[in-house]
Amino acid sequence: MRINDRASARLKELEAEVCPGVLLADQTSLGIGGATDEIQLRRYDTIPQVMRLLADENIPHRFLGGGTNVLIADGELPWVVLHLPSAHPGVRVEGNTAFVDASADLGGMVTFCAKRDLGGMEGLIGVPGSVGGALRMNAGAYGTQIGTYVREVDLYRAATGELETLRGADIRFDYRHTSFAPDDVMLRAKLELPSKPFKEILAGIRVCNEKRRASQPLNQKSAGCIFKNPPGGSAGRMIDELGLKGFRVGDAMVSDRHANFFVNVGRATCADMRALMDSVRERVHAAYSVELEYEVIIWQN
């Protein structure tokens, strides 16, 4: 998707930068994704105006965060991609409260808070991606999920075209799912975290990191777990029991370290990865009568 000169000029007035012809394979952990124009936002307060402009110009769009839990179609994409203002570190702490930008790195946020004796999120340290992505999916690992600590979320609500603040009690956080609308865009979050000595937090982080290094393909291109665990079960265990580790379609392969991680071992296309995902899903259903749900988000043309 290409942004016309008139729209580019108006976006510049709103302090948004247009980057033409960006290859999204370079911005995703899977290393898969086609090309489109990219809009780098510089200010939160102009987002409603940017969105109205895109609507007026009939420019389809999607927001891309850390790119770690998404499978994007190949080729020329029919929508532009927007990025929130970058945040380094994007975290401010007052007492037991952390104010975090959605574009902040999730692991960096956990470390920042840990150094100020705020814990509870040790299990999230190795989960890749941004805080905004973690909020949308209620990211979790090793008994921890981010929704437990959320007290407020600032967001852009497409349904109203306005910036709004939701109280944590008004947001439903379930297993890898939240009550946010699909077109809500998380901007900032307020988290309330328990006090904990940094040494204890660090010890917990080390345990989680050791578990990850022992069981996950950390040095390969992946999007984390492809499927959600079904109630009372393990997607990875079922795939492993079917002997599918190493099974591949083109350069898309079921990891030989963790059966719920699918990796790009070369130049896998979106079609390769989708075919692999669909095949594994069908085999699990045939063997266990279980319909696995995708945890990875799929962006198709």
Side-chain angles (χ1 to χ4, degrees):
M1 181 75 186
R2 293 290 180 259
I3 299 174
N4 62 54
D5 292 341
R6 180 179 63 253
S8 292
R10 291 178 63 192
L11 286 166
K12 187 175 181 179
E13 293 173 2
L14 296 170
E15 299 184 36
E17 179 184 356
V18 176
C19 304
V22 173
L23 185 63
L24 297 188
D26 296 333
Q27 300 192 18
T28 64
S29 58
L30 268 172
I32 296 173
T36 188
D37 286 358
E38 177 183 88
I39 301 173
Q40 293 279 354
L41 302 171
R42 298 288 180 247
R43 294 170 51 181
Y44 285 112
D45 61 337
T46 63
I47 289 177
Q49 294 167 272
V50 169
M51 303 305 280
R52 284 194 289 272
L53 166 60
L54 296 179
D56 291 343
E57 295 288 339
N58 295 313
I59 299 174
H61 56 273
R62 295 187 177 186
F63 277 84
L64 181 65
T68 56
N69 189 42
V70 61
L71 172 61
I72 300 177
D74 301 303
E76 185 74 18
L77 301 173
W79 23 260
V80 302
V81 163
L82 293 93
H83 284 279
L84 293 176
S86 58
H88 303 286
V91 189
R92 176 172 58 87
V93 167
E94 292 181 8
N96 285 72
T97 303
F99 301 88
V100 191
D101 284 357
S103 59
D105 176 73
L106 179 61
M109 181 269 288
V110 175
T111 301
F112 185 94
C113 293
K115 290 179 178 178
R116 287 150 183 83
D117 297 323
L118 295 179
M121 298 189 294
E122 292 86 332
L124 298 177
I125 187 67
V127 176
S130 66
V131 170
L135 290 169
R136 174 166 294 284
M137 297 295 293
N138 191 21
Y142 304 119
T144 299
Q145 52 187 21
I146 194 169
T148 303
Y149 306 103
V150 173
R151 297 298 174 263
E152 286 182 356
V153 174
D154 296 335
L155 51 76
Y156 167 77
R157 176 144 281 177
T160 63
E162 302 293 340
L163 304 180
E164 299 183 17
T165 298
L166 298 182
R167 293 171 54 249
D170 296 328
I171 305 167
R172 191 179 75 250
F173 289 99
D174 299 321
Y175 171 68
R176 303 297 178 269
H177 181 76
T178 62
S179 57
F180 295 115
D183 51 5
D184 285 345
V185 181
M186 273 58 73
L187 306 178
R188 300 184 187 89
K190 176 181 176 182
L191 308 178
E192 185 178 346
L193 303 171
S195 298
K196 197 172 184 180
F198 176 60
K199 288 184 178 180
E200 290 185 22
I201 299 173
L202 192 59
I205 286 173
R206 285 173 177 160
V207 169
C208 292
N209 282 341
E210 287 172 5
K211 290 180 180 178
R212 281 195 173 87
R213 282 192 292 269
S215 64
Q216 297 179 8
L218 300 181
N219 296 321
Q220 292 181 287
K221 296 177 182 179
S222 84
C225 288
I226 289 291
F227 299 107
K228 299 177 183 180
N229 286 326
S234 165
R237 177 186 56 77
M238 290 186 288
I239 298 168
D240 193 3
E241 288 178 352
L242 292 174
L244 294 176
K245 281 184 175 178
F247 175 55
R248 62 191 288 172
V249 174
D251 280 342
M253 186 182 83
V254 178
S255 168
D256 54 9
R257 292 180 64 83
H258 192 308
N260 200 15
F261 279 62
F262 293 8
V263 296
N264 177 0
V265 295
R267 296 184 178 181
T269 65
C270 180
D272 291 338
M273 192 61 68
R274 279 304 308 269
L276 180 65
M277 292 159 58
D278 291 344
S279 179
V280 169
R281 191 166 180 258
E282 289 168 6
R283 294 182 186 212
V284 168
H285 182 260
Y288 298 98
S289 297
V290 172
E291 288 279 2
L292 291 178
E293 289 185 56
Y294 293 126
E295 185 166 326
V296 66
I297 297 169
I298 301 169
W299 286 6
Q300 299 200 89
N301 287 335

